[in-house]
Short mmCIF file of all heavy atoms in Angstrom, two decimals:
data_model
loop_
_atom_site.label_atom_id
_atom_site.label_comp_id
_atom_site.label_asym_id
_atom_site.label_seq_id
_atom_site.Cartn_x
_atom_site.Cartn_y
_atom_site.Cartn_z
N GLU A 1441 -82.18 -111.46 -73.07
CA GLU A 1441 -82.12 -112.54 -73.99
C GLU A 1441 -81.84 -111.92 -75.42
O GLU A 1441 -82.41 -110.94 -75.82
CB GLU A 1441 -83.49 -113.32 -74.06
CG GLU A 1441 -83.71 -114.15 -72.89
CD GLU A 1441 -84.99 -114.99 -73.03
OE1 GLU A 1441 -85.56 -115.00 -74.15
OE2 GLU A 1441 -85.45 -115.58 -72.11
N PHE A 1442 -80.84 -112.48 -76.03
CA PHE A 1442 -80.47 -112.00 -77.38
C PHE A 1442 -79.65 -113.04 -78.12
O PHE A 1442 -79.37 -114.11 -77.62
CB PHE A 1442 -79.69 -110.67 -77.34
CG PHE A 1442 -78.37 -110.74 -76.61
CD1 PHE A 1442 -77.17 -110.97 -77.34
CD2 PHE A 1442 -78.23 -110.73 -75.28
CE1 PHE A 1442 -75.97 -111.03 -76.77
CE2 PHE A 1442 -77.00 -110.80 -74.58
CZ PHE A 1442 -75.89 -110.94 -75.31
N LYS A 1443 -79.21 -112.72 -79.34
CA LYS A 1443 -78.51 -113.67 -80.19
C LYS A 1443 -76.99 -113.27 -80.23
O LYS A 1443 -76.68 -112.15 -80.47
CB LYS A 1443 -79.06 -113.74 -81.63
CG LYS A 1443 -80.56 -114.09 -81.67
CD LYS A 1443 -81.08 -114.13 -83.06
CE LYS A 1443 -81.12 -112.78 -83.76
NZ LYS A 1443 -82.18 -111.90 -83.16
N LYS A 1444 -76.16 -114.32 -80.04
CA LYS A 1444 -74.79 -114.20 -80.26
C LYS A 1444 -74.39 -114.85 -81.54
O LYS A 1444 -75.21 -115.75 -82.00
CB LYS A 1444 -73.93 -114.86 -79.09
CG LYS A 1444 -73.87 -113.92 -77.78
CD LYS A 1444 -72.89 -114.57 -76.83
CE LYS A 1444 -72.84 -113.71 -75.59
NZ LYS A 1444 -72.35 -112.40 -75.78
N VAL A 1445 -73.33 -114.49 -82.12
CA VAL A 1445 -72.83 -115.07 -83.40
C VAL A 1445 -71.50 -115.70 -83.17
O VAL A 1445 -70.52 -115.01 -82.73
CB VAL A 1445 -72.74 -113.93 -84.53
CG1 VAL A 1445 -72.36 -114.60 -85.84
CG2 VAL A 1445 -74.10 -113.30 -84.67
N LYS A 1446 -71.37 -116.99 -83.54
CA LYS A 1446 -70.12 -117.65 -83.44
C LYS A 1446 -69.14 -117.15 -84.57
O LYS A 1446 -69.61 -116.48 -85.42
CB LYS A 1446 -70.25 -119.17 -83.60
CG LYS A 1446 -70.95 -119.86 -82.39
CD LYS A 1446 -70.94 -121.38 -82.58
CE LYS A 1446 -71.55 -122.00 -81.38
NZ LYS A 1446 -71.54 -123.55 -81.60
N LYS A 1447 -67.85 -117.59 -84.46
CA LYS A 1447 -66.93 -117.09 -85.49
C LYS A 1447 -67.23 -117.73 -86.94
O LYS A 1447 -67.05 -117.04 -87.87
CB LYS A 1447 -65.54 -117.53 -85.09
CG LYS A 1447 -64.36 -117.00 -85.92
CD LYS A 1447 -63.01 -117.38 -85.37
CE LYS A 1447 -61.93 -116.71 -86.25
NZ LYS A 1447 -60.61 -117.11 -85.61
N ASN A 1448 -67.85 -118.89 -86.84
CA ASN A 1448 -68.23 -119.60 -88.15
C ASN A 1448 -69.57 -119.04 -88.63
O ASN A 1448 -70.03 -119.54 -89.60
CB ASN A 1448 -68.24 -121.01 -87.96
CG ASN A 1448 -69.29 -121.53 -86.95
OD1 ASN A 1448 -70.16 -120.79 -86.49
ND2 ASN A 1448 -69.24 -122.82 -86.71
N GLY A 1449 -70.23 -118.12 -87.92
CA GLY A 1449 -71.49 -117.52 -88.40
C GLY A 1449 -72.70 -118.08 -87.70
O GLY A 1449 -73.84 -117.68 -87.93
N ASP A 1450 -72.62 -119.23 -86.95
CA ASP A 1450 -73.70 -119.85 -86.31
C ASP A 1450 -74.31 -118.87 -85.30
O ASP A 1450 -73.53 -118.18 -84.62
CB ASP A 1450 -73.30 -121.23 -85.64
CG ASP A 1450 -73.15 -122.34 -86.51
OD1 ASP A 1450 -73.53 -122.17 -87.75
OD2 ASP A 1450 -72.66 -123.35 -86.19
N ILE A 1451 -75.65 -118.88 -85.26
CA ILE A 1451 -76.32 -118.05 -84.27
C ILE A 1451 -76.66 -118.84 -82.95
O ILE A 1451 -77.13 -119.94 -83.11
CB ILE A 1451 -77.56 -117.45 -84.91
CG1 ILE A 1451 -77.24 -116.58 -86.05
CG2 ILE A 1451 -78.48 -116.75 -83.86
CD1 ILE A 1451 -78.43 -116.06 -86.86
N VAL A 1452 -76.36 -118.32 -81.80
CA VAL A 1452 -76.71 -118.92 -80.54
C VAL A 1452 -77.63 -118.01 -79.78
O VAL A 1452 -77.31 -116.78 -79.59
CB VAL A 1452 -75.42 -119.11 -79.80
CG1 VAL A 1452 -75.80 -119.88 -78.46
CG2 VAL A 1452 -74.44 -119.94 -80.56
N TYR A 1453 -78.71 -118.50 -79.28
CA TYR A 1453 -79.67 -117.65 -78.45
C TYR A 1453 -79.15 -117.92 -77.03
O TYR A 1453 -78.89 -119.00 -76.57
CB TYR A 1453 -81.05 -118.16 -78.56
CG TYR A 1453 -81.70 -117.91 -79.86
CD1 TYR A 1453 -81.53 -118.71 -81.00
CD2 TYR A 1453 -82.44 -116.74 -80.09
CE1 TYR A 1453 -82.20 -118.47 -82.19
CE2 TYR A 1453 -83.07 -116.37 -81.26
CZ TYR A 1453 -82.97 -117.32 -82.34
OH TYR A 1453 -83.51 -117.03 -83.59
N VAL A 1454 -79.02 -116.74 -76.34
CA VAL A 1454 -78.42 -116.83 -74.98
C VAL A 1454 -79.36 -115.93 -74.01
O VAL A 1454 -80.00 -115.11 -74.47
CB VAL A 1454 -76.98 -116.32 -74.86
CG1 VAL A 1454 -76.11 -117.18 -75.69
CG2 VAL A 1454 -76.89 -114.87 -75.25
N GLN A 1455 -79.18 -116.39 -72.82
CA GLN A 1455 -79.81 -115.44 -71.76
C GLN A 1455 -78.61 -115.09 -70.90
O GLN A 1455 -77.81 -115.93 -70.44
CB GLN A 1455 -80.73 -116.26 -70.75
CG GLN A 1455 -81.35 -115.36 -69.72
CD GLN A 1455 -82.19 -116.06 -68.75
OE1 GLN A 1455 -81.92 -117.23 -68.27
NE2 GLN A 1455 -83.30 -115.47 -68.41
N GLU A 1456 -78.39 -113.76 -70.86
CA GLU A 1456 -77.21 -113.21 -70.31
C GLU A 1456 -77.49 -112.47 -69.02
O GLU A 1456 -78.40 -111.62 -68.88
CB GLU A 1456 -76.52 -112.21 -71.25
CG GLU A 1456 -75.14 -111.77 -70.83
CD GLU A 1456 -74.42 -111.12 -72.05
OE1 GLU A 1456 -74.56 -109.92 -72.11
OE2 GLU A 1456 -73.72 -111.82 -72.80
#
Side-chain angles (χ1 to χ4, degrees):
E1441 290 185 8
F1442 64 96
K1443 300 185 289 292
K1444 283 187 179 294
V1445 182
K1446 292 185 177 182
K1447 189 175 182 179
N1448 64 6
D1450 283 352
I1451 295 173
V1452 182
Y1453 290 88
V1454 299
Q1455 181 183 43
E1456 191 167 87

